[in-house]
Amino acid sequence: MDTVTIIVPCYNEEEVIDLFYPTVQAHVEKIPDCRFDYVFVNDGSRDRTLDKLRELSAAHDDVTYISLSRNFGKESAMMAGIDYAAGDAVIIMDADLQHPPSAIADMIKYWRDGYDDVCGKRVDRAGETWLKRSCANLFYAVMKKFSTSYEMQRDVGDFRLLDRRCIEALKLMRENQRFTKGLFTWVGYRKKEIPFEVQPRAAGTTTWNYLALFNLAMKGMTSFTTAPLRLMTFLGMIISFGAMAYMLFVFTMAILYGDPVAGYPTLMTVMLFLGGIQILSLGIIGEYLAQIFHESKRRPIYLVDEIDGKRMIYTPQFVATEINAKPKKEFDS
Ligand code: UDP
Ligand code: MG
Protein backbone atom coordinates (compact mmCIF):
# COMPACT_ATOMS: atom_id res chain seq x y z
CA MET A 1 0.00 0.00 0.00
CA ASP A 2 1.48 3.36 -1.07
CA THR A 3 0.70 6.54 0.81
CA VAL A 4 0.41 9.82 -1.02
CA THR A 5 -0.12 13.24 0.56
CA ILE A 6 -1.93 15.91 -1.41
CA ILE A 7 -0.69 19.39 -0.48
CA VAL A 8 -3.04 22.28 -1.10
CA PRO A 9 -1.95 25.88 -0.46
CA CYS A 10 -4.99 28.06 0.19
CA TYR A 11 -5.24 31.81 0.27
CA ASN A 12 -8.77 33.21 0.44
CA GLU A 13 -10.32 30.09 -1.04
CA GLU A 14 -13.50 29.82 1.06
CA GLU A 15 -15.63 29.28 -2.03
CA VAL A 16 -13.71 26.31 -3.40
CA ILE A 17 -12.63 24.30 -0.35
CA ASP A 18 -15.94 22.48 0.00
CA LEU A 19 -15.84 21.64 -3.68
CA PHE A 20 -12.18 20.63 -3.77
CA TYR A 21 -12.24 17.69 -1.38
CA PRO A 22 -15.12 15.68 -2.89
CA THR A 23 -13.97 16.41 -6.45
CA VAL A 24 -10.45 15.15 -5.85
CA GLN A 25 -11.63 12.31 -3.65
CA ALA A 26 -13.89 11.03 -6.44
CA HIS A 27 -10.81 10.62 -8.64
CA VAL A 28 -8.34 9.21 -6.16
CA GLU A 29 -10.71 6.64 -4.66
CA LYS A 30 -10.50 4.73 -7.92
CA ILE A 31 -6.70 4.37 -7.77
CA PRO A 32 -5.81 0.90 -6.45
CA ASP A 33 -3.35 0.14 -3.62
CA CYS A 34 -2.89 3.74 -2.70
CA ARG A 35 -3.97 5.64 0.37
CA PHE A 36 -4.35 9.40 0.07
CA ASP A 37 -4.32 12.04 2.73
CA TYR A 38 -4.55 15.82 2.48
CA VAL A 39 -2.54 18.66 3.97
CA PHE A 40 -4.26 22.00 3.44
CA VAL A 41 -2.13 25.04 4.19
CA ASN A 42 -4.04 28.15 5.15
CA ASP A 43 -1.72 30.94 4.06
CA GLY A 44 -3.09 33.72 6.26
CA SER A 45 -6.43 33.97 4.48
CA ARG A 46 -8.62 36.95 5.32
CA ASP A 47 -11.90 35.21 4.56
CA ARG A 48 -13.50 32.12 6.10
CA THR A 49 -10.99 29.65 4.62
CA LEU A 50 -9.74 28.62 8.06
CA ASP A 51 -13.26 27.92 9.32
CA LYS A 52 -13.90 25.81 6.22
CA LEU A 53 -10.70 23.87 6.80
CA ARG A 54 -11.59 23.27 10.46
CA GLU A 55 -14.93 21.83 9.40
CA LEU A 56 -13.32 19.70 6.72
CA SER A 57 -10.66 18.23 8.98
CA ALA A 58 -13.24 17.55 11.69
CA ALA A 59 -15.37 15.65 9.19
CA HIS A 60 -12.59 13.62 7.54
CA ASP A 61 -9.76 11.70 9.20
CA ASP A 62 -7.55 12.00 6.15
CA VAL A 63 -7.52 15.81 6.21
CA THR A 64 -4.96 17.85 8.14
CA TYR A 65 -4.75 21.60 8.01
CA ILE A 66 -1.82 23.85 8.83
CA SER A 67 -2.63 27.47 9.45
CA LEU A 68 0.28 29.91 9.06
CA SER A 69 0.67 32.94 11.30
CA ARG A 70 0.13 35.33 8.37
CA ASN A 71 0.23 35.38 4.56
CA PHE A 72 3.68 34.16 3.51
CA GLY A 73 3.03 33.59 -0.20
CA LYS A 74 2.37 30.40 -2.13
CA GLU A 75 6.01 29.32 -2.23
CA SER A 76 6.30 29.35 1.56
CA ALA A 77 2.88 27.77 2.00
CA MET A 78 3.95 24.87 -0.23
CA MET A 79 7.08 24.44 1.85
CA ALA A 80 4.97 24.18 5.00
CA GLY A 81 2.99 21.42 3.32
CA ILE A 82 6.16 19.65 2.22
CA ASP A 83 7.57 19.81 5.75
CA TYR A 84 4.50 18.13 7.23
CA ALA A 85 3.57 15.68 4.50
CA ALA A 86 4.05 12.09 5.64
CA GLY A 87 3.34 10.17 2.42
CA ASP A 88 5.76 8.17 0.29
CA ALA A 89 5.06 10.82 -2.31
CA VAL A 90 3.30 14.17 -2.37
CA ILE A 91 1.14 15.84 -4.98
CA ILE A 92 0.95 19.62 -4.94
CA MET A 93 -2.31 21.08 -6.25
CA ASP A 94 -3.96 24.49 -6.34
CA ALA A 95 -7.13 24.80 -4.30
CA ASP A 96 -9.06 26.39 -7.17
CA LEU A 97 -9.30 23.13 -9.18
CA GLN A 98 -7.32 24.60 -12.07
CA HIS A 99 -5.17 21.51 -11.82
CA PRO A 100 -7.31 18.61 -13.08
CA PRO A 101 -7.54 15.78 -10.51
CA SER A 102 -7.99 13.40 -13.44
CA ALA A 103 -4.22 13.66 -14.01
CA ILE A 104 -3.45 12.11 -10.61
CA ALA A 105 -3.93 8.53 -11.81
CA ASP A 106 -1.29 9.06 -14.51
CA MET A 107 1.07 10.67 -12.02
CA ILE A 108 0.82 7.66 -9.74
CA LYS A 109 1.35 5.33 -12.68
CA TYR A 110 4.60 7.03 -13.72
CA TRP A 111 5.75 7.25 -10.12
CA ARG A 112 5.28 3.50 -9.79
CA ASP A 113 7.26 3.11 -13.00
CA GLY A 114 10.21 4.73 -11.21
CA TYR A 115 9.92 8.45 -11.88
CA ASP A 116 10.63 10.74 -8.93
CA ASP A 117 9.13 13.96 -10.19
CA VAL A 118 6.04 13.74 -12.40
CA CYS A 119 5.15 17.27 -13.41
CA GLY A 120 2.09 18.60 -15.13
CA LYS A 121 3.02 20.46 -18.30
CA ARG A 122 0.37 22.87 -19.50
CA VAL A 123 -0.38 22.27 -23.13
CA ASP A 124 -2.31 25.43 -23.80
CA ARG A 125 -1.68 28.87 -22.54
CA ALA A 126 -4.78 29.86 -24.45
CA GLY A 127 -6.66 31.38 -21.56
CA GLU A 128 -3.88 33.90 -21.14
CA THR A 129 -3.38 37.25 -22.79
CA TRP A 130 -0.85 37.76 -25.55
CA LEU A 131 1.24 39.93 -23.24
CA LYS A 132 1.41 37.30 -20.50
CA ARG A 133 2.39 34.64 -23.03
CA SER A 134 5.14 36.83 -24.50
CA CYS A 135 6.50 37.64 -21.06
CA ALA A 136 6.61 33.94 -20.23
CA ASN A 137 8.43 33.25 -23.51
CA LEU A 138 11.00 35.93 -22.77
CA PHE A 139 11.57 34.65 -19.27
CA TYR A 140 12.18 31.07 -20.39
CA ALA A 141 14.47 32.22 -23.20
CA VAL A 142 16.61 34.31 -20.85
CA MET A 143 16.77 31.58 -18.21
CA LYS A 144 17.70 28.99 -20.80
CA LYS A 145 20.51 31.13 -22.13
CA PHE A 146 21.92 32.02 -18.75
CA SER A 147 21.55 29.10 -16.39
CA THR A 148 24.35 26.81 -17.38
CA SER A 149 24.11 23.94 -14.93
CA TYR A 150 20.59 22.79 -15.77
CA GLU A 151 17.62 23.75 -17.88
CA MET A 152 14.47 25.31 -16.47
CA GLN A 153 11.42 23.26 -17.43
CA ARG A 154 9.02 25.06 -19.75
CA ASP A 155 5.35 25.61 -18.95
CA VAL A 156 5.73 23.42 -15.92
CA GLY A 157 4.37 24.77 -12.68
CA ASP A 158 3.75 23.57 -9.19
CA PHE A 159 1.26 20.85 -10.16
CA ARG A 160 3.37 17.75 -9.67
CA LEU A 161 4.02 14.52 -7.83
CA LEU A 162 7.27 14.31 -5.88
CA ASP A 163 8.84 11.19 -4.50
CA ARG A 164 10.08 11.17 -0.89
CA ARG A 165 13.65 11.60 -2.21
CA CYS A 166 12.76 14.94 -3.79
CA ILE A 167 10.85 16.04 -0.71
CA GLU A 168 13.79 15.38 1.60
CA ALA A 169 16.06 17.26 -0.81
CA LEU A 170 13.70 20.23 -0.91
CA LYS A 171 13.60 20.29 2.88
CA LEU A 172 17.35 20.88 2.90
CA MET A 173 16.97 24.07 0.92
CA ARG A 174 15.78 26.53 3.54
CA GLU A 175 16.36 29.66 1.49
CA ASN A 176 13.98 32.50 2.11
CA GLN A 177 13.55 33.80 -1.41
CA ARG A 178 12.00 30.67 -2.78
CA PHE A 179 11.71 30.19 -6.50
CA THR A 180 10.22 26.74 -6.21
CA LYS A 181 10.18 25.99 -9.93
CA GLY A 182 13.95 26.44 -9.98
CA LEU A 183 14.37 24.38 -6.83
CA PHE A 184 12.46 21.45 -8.35
CA THR A 185 14.76 21.58 -11.35
CA TRP A 186 17.87 21.90 -9.21
CA VAL A 187 16.98 18.73 -7.27
CA GLY A 188 17.15 16.64 -10.43
CA TYR A 189 16.26 12.91 -10.24
CA ARG A 190 14.06 11.26 -12.85
CA LYS A 191 11.55 13.68 -14.26
CA LYS A 192 8.51 12.97 -16.40
CA GLU A 193 6.28 15.63 -17.88
CA ILE A 194 2.63 14.83 -18.44
CA PRO A 195 0.42 17.21 -20.40
CA PHE A 196 -2.64 18.80 -18.84
CA GLU A 197 -5.01 21.61 -19.66
CA VAL A 198 -5.38 24.37 -17.12
CA GLN A 199 -9.01 24.56 -16.08
CA PRO A 200 -10.80 27.81 -15.41
CA ARG A 201 -10.85 28.77 -11.72
CA ALA A 202 -13.75 26.99 -9.97
CA ALA A 203 -14.57 30.11 -7.95
CA GLY A 204 -12.86 33.06 -6.32
CA THR A 205 -10.22 35.27 -7.93
CA THR A 206 -6.56 34.90 -8.80
CA THR A 207 -4.02 36.71 -6.66
CA TRP A 208 -1.58 37.17 -9.53
CA ASN A 209 -1.02 40.35 -11.47
CA TYR A 210 1.72 41.61 -13.77
CA LEU A 211 3.75 43.16 -10.97
CA ALA A 212 3.67 39.91 -9.00
CA LEU A 213 4.74 37.97 -12.10
CA PHE A 214 7.57 40.43 -12.78
CA ASN A 215 8.74 40.08 -9.20
CA LEU A 216 8.63 36.30 -9.48
CA ALA A 217 10.67 36.43 -12.69
CA MET A 218 13.26 38.68 -11.03
CA LYS A 219 13.42 36.32 -8.07
CA GLY A 220 13.93 33.42 -10.45
CA MET A 221 16.77 35.13 -12.22
CA THR A 222 18.57 36.47 -9.19
CA SER A 223 18.33 33.21 -7.29
CA PHE A 224 19.39 30.96 -10.14
CA THR A 225 21.89 32.81 -12.26
CA THR A 226 24.49 35.52 -11.78
CA ALA A 227 24.78 35.96 -15.54
CA PRO A 228 23.31 39.50 -15.54
CA LEU A 229 26.26 40.64 -13.42
CA ARG A 230 28.66 39.16 -15.95
CA LEU A 231 26.67 40.78 -18.76
CA MET A 232 27.17 44.18 -17.15
CA THR A 233 30.93 43.59 -17.01
CA PHE A 234 30.95 42.80 -20.72
CA LEU A 235 28.79 45.79 -21.51
CA GLY A 236 31.14 48.04 -19.56
CA MET A 237 34.10 46.67 -21.51
CA ILE A 238 32.41 47.11 -24.87
CA ILE A 239 31.38 50.68 -24.07
CA SER A 240 34.89 51.55 -22.90
CA PHE A 241 36.36 50.23 -26.15
CA GLY A 242 33.75 52.16 -28.12
CA ALA A 243 34.59 55.34 -26.25
CA MET A 244 38.28 54.84 -26.94
CA ALA A 245 37.66 54.30 -30.65
CA TYR A 246 35.47 57.40 -30.79
CA MET A 247 38.16 59.45 -29.03
CA LEU A 248 40.71 58.38 -31.60
CA PHE A 249 38.28 59.29 -34.38
CA VAL A 250 37.64 62.79 -33.00
CA PHE A 251 41.34 63.30 -32.43
CA THR A 252 42.25 62.31 -35.99
CA MET A 253 39.50 64.44 -37.51
CA ALA A 254 40.67 67.49 -35.57
CA ILE A 255 44.38 67.04 -36.34
CA LEU A 256 44.20 65.93 -39.98
CA TYR A 257 41.25 67.97 -41.23
CA GLY A 258 40.80 70.64 -38.54
CA ASP A 259 37.17 69.47 -38.31
CA PRO A 260 35.37 71.02 -35.32
CA VAL A 261 33.31 68.11 -33.95
CA ALA A 262 29.79 69.09 -32.88
CA GLY A 263 30.02 69.15 -29.09
CA TYR A 264 26.58 69.40 -27.54
CA PRO A 265 24.62 66.62 -29.30
CA THR A 266 27.48 64.12 -29.03
CA LEU A 267 28.05 64.91 -25.38
CA MET A 268 24.38 64.71 -24.57
CA THR A 269 23.91 61.33 -26.27
CA VAL A 270 26.97 59.76 -24.72
CA MET A 271 26.19 61.13 -21.27
CA LEU A 272 22.60 59.94 -21.24
CA PHE A 273 23.57 56.53 -22.61
CA LEU A 274 26.29 56.04 -20.03
CA GLY A 275 24.09 57.38 -17.24
CA GLY A 276 21.40 54.85 -18.17
CA ILE A 277 23.83 51.97 -18.26
CA GLN A 278 25.27 52.97 -14.90
CA ILE A 279 21.90 53.10 -13.19
CA LEU A 280 20.94 49.79 -14.79
CA SER A 281 24.11 48.11 -13.54
CA LEU A 282 23.62 49.54 -10.08
CA GLY A 283 20.06 48.22 -10.14
CA ILE A 284 21.25 44.75 -11.09
CA ILE A 285 23.90 44.75 -8.37
CA GLY A 286 21.17 45.96 -6.01
CA GLU A 287 18.95 43.00 -6.90
CA TYR A 288 21.67 40.57 -5.87
CA LEU A 289 22.48 42.63 -2.79
CA ALA A 290 18.81 42.42 -1.81
CA GLN A 291 18.96 38.63 -2.16
CA ILE A 292 21.99 38.49 0.15
CA PHE A 293 20.22 40.86 2.54
CA HIS A 294 17.15 38.63 2.77
CA GLU A 295 19.07 35.36 3.01
CA SER A 296 21.62 36.58 5.53
CA LYS A 297 18.94 37.08 8.14
CA ARG A 298 18.18 33.36 8.08
CA ARG A 299 14.60 33.80 9.13
CA PRO A 300 12.29 30.81 9.03
CA ILE A 301 10.36 30.39 5.79
CA TYR A 302 7.00 30.44 7.58
CA LEU A 303 5.55 30.29 11.06
CA VAL A 304 2.74 27.95 12.01
CA ASP A 305 -0.13 29.21 14.10
CA GLU A 306 -2.12 26.00 14.46
CA ILE A 307 -2.33 22.47 13.14
CA ASP A 308 -5.67 20.71 13.43
CA GLY A 309 -6.75 22.97 16.25
CA LYS A 310 -3.49 22.65 18.22
CA ARG A 311 -1.50 25.79 18.94
CA MET A 312 2.05 25.60 17.62
CA ILE A 313 5.33 27.16 18.69
CA TYR A 314 8.47 27.53 16.56
CA THR A 315 11.47 25.39 17.47
CA PRO A 316 14.40 25.18 15.06
CA GLN A 317 14.67 21.38 15.19
CA PHE A 318 11.06 20.58 14.50
CA VAL A 319 9.90 23.74 12.77
CA ALA A 320 6.68 23.63 14.78
CA THR A 321 5.83 21.77 17.94
CA GLU A 322 2.55 21.56 19.73
CA ILE A 323 2.51 24.12 22.51
CA ASN A 324 1.24 22.89 25.84
CA ALA A 325 -0.40 26.18 26.56
CA LYS A 326 -3.01 26.97 29.08
CA PRO A 327 -6.29 28.21 27.68
CA LYS A 328 -6.10 31.87 26.83
CA LYS A 329 -8.59 32.82 29.53
CA GLU A 330 -6.19 31.89 32.32
CA PHE A 331 -3.49 34.17 30.93
CA ASP A 332 -5.87 37.06 30.90
CA SER A 333 -6.96 36.80 34.53
N1 UDP B 1 -1.90 30.95 -2.85
C1 UDP B 1 -1.31 30.91 -1.59
N2 UDP B 1 -0.77 32.07 -1.08
C2 UDP B 1 -0.76 33.25 -1.75
C3 UDP B 1 -1.34 33.26 -3.05
C4 UDP B 1 -1.89 32.10 -3.56
O1 UDP B 1 -1.28 29.87 -0.94
O2 UDP B 1 -0.26 34.25 -1.22
C5 UDP B 1 -2.51 29.72 -3.42
C6 UDP B 1 -3.95 29.86 -3.87
O3 UDP B 1 -4.85 29.66 -2.82
C7 UDP B 1 -4.06 28.79 -4.93
C8 UDP B 1 -2.66 28.74 -5.53
O4 UDP B 1 -1.80 29.37 -4.57
O5 UDP B 1 -4.36 27.53 -4.37
C9 UDP B 1 -2.60 29.45 -6.87
O6 UDP B 1 -3.05 30.77 -6.73
P1 UDP B 1 -3.95 31.48 -7.84
O7 UDP B 1 -5.05 30.57 -8.27
O8 UDP B 1 -4.34 32.80 -7.26
O9 UDP B 1 -2.89 31.69 -9.00
P2 UDP B 1 -3.07 31.33 -10.57
O10 UDP B 1 -3.71 29.97 -10.65
O11 UDP B 1 -3.95 32.38 -11.14
O12 UDP B 1 -1.69 31.35 -11.11
MG1 MG C 1 -5.36 29.44 -9.84
Side-chain angles (χ1 to χ4, degrees), residues 12-164:
N12 296 348
E13 304 281 13
E14 61 178 0
E15 293 162 69
V16 289
I17 303 245
D18 287 339
L19 193 63
F20 181 89
Y21 180 79
T23 312
V24 175
Q25 198 58 22
H27 281 94
V28 301
E29 268 167 0
K30 285 182 244 151
I31 299 170
D33 299 327
C34 202
R35 208 174 55 236
F36 286 84
D37 66 319
Y38 297 77
V39 173
F40 288 85
V41 184
N42 171 37
D43 185 17
S45 302
R46 289 167 206 284
D47 61 0
R48 296 192 57 249
T49 300
L50 182 55
D51 293 334
K52 293 275 179 200
L53 291 180
R54 285 188 178 129
E55 286 165 21
L56 194 68
S57 87
H60 304 280
D61 283 343
D62 53 354
V63 174
T64 304
Y65 73 87
I66 302 172
S67 187
L68 304 185
S69 65
R70 63 170 169 86
N71 177 252
F72 282 89
K74 185 185 179 189
E75 315 271 326
S76 304
M78 283 193 292
M79 198 55 208
I82 286 172
D83 279 336
Y84 290 95
D88 302 322
V90 307
I91 294 175
I92 304 174
M93 284 179 88
D94 282 0
D96 53 18
L97 289 170
Q98 285 191 291
H99 297 157
S102 51
I104 293 178
D106 274 348
M107 287 180 159
I108 301 284
K109 190 181 104 234
Y110 285 116
W111 174 51
R112 286 177 169 160
D113 283 350
Y115 288 102
D116 301 291
D117 181 352
V118 189
C119 10
K121 182 182 174 78
R122 37 198 309 188
V123 283
D124 65 318
R125 297 192 75 121
E128 298 183 337
T129 59
W130 172 87
L131 183 62
K132 196 170 174 185
R133 271 202 311 273
S134 322
C135 289
N137 283 341
L138 182 70
F139 174 76
Y140 286 117
V142 170
M143 285 309 278
K144 184 171 180 174
K145 196 110 205 110
F146 285 147
S147 52
T148 41
S149 47
Y150 55 87
E151 194 177 312
M152 193 76 57
Q153 290 169 289
R154 245 218 98 124
D155 295 337
V156 165
D158 300 320
F159 181 37
R160 61 177 74 218
L161 177 147
L162 294 162
D163 183 72
R164 180 61 34 202

Side-chain angles (χ1 to χ4, degrees), residues 13 94-99 198-199 201 205-208:
E13 304 281 13
D94 282 0
D96 53 18
L97 289 170
Q98 285 191 291
H99 297 157
V198 179
Q199 310 298 312
R201 227 175 192 287
T205 47
T206 174
T207 48
W208 290 102

Side-chain angles (χ1 to χ4, degrees), residues 249-307:
F249 169 74
V250 172
F251 214 61
T252 326
M253 289 302 270
I255 287 182
L256 292 190
Y257 307 103
D259 179 17
V261 183
Y264 185 73
T266 3
L267 262 180
M268 215 40 200
T269 330
V270 171
M271 235 176 64
L272 285 180
F273 177 64
L274 280 185
I277 297 279
Q278 276 168 1
I279 295 175
L280 180 71
S281 339
L282 274 180
I284 291 178
I285 296 174
E287 292 289 341
Y288 286 96
L289 191 70
Q291 282 273 13
I292 299 171
F293 170 75
H294 287 305
E295 295 303 337
S296 65
K297 292 189 279 197
R298 301 201 141 270
R299 290 188 181 159
I301 299 168
Y302 58 86
L303 288 180
V304 178
D305 177 24
E306 59 171 89
I307 296 182

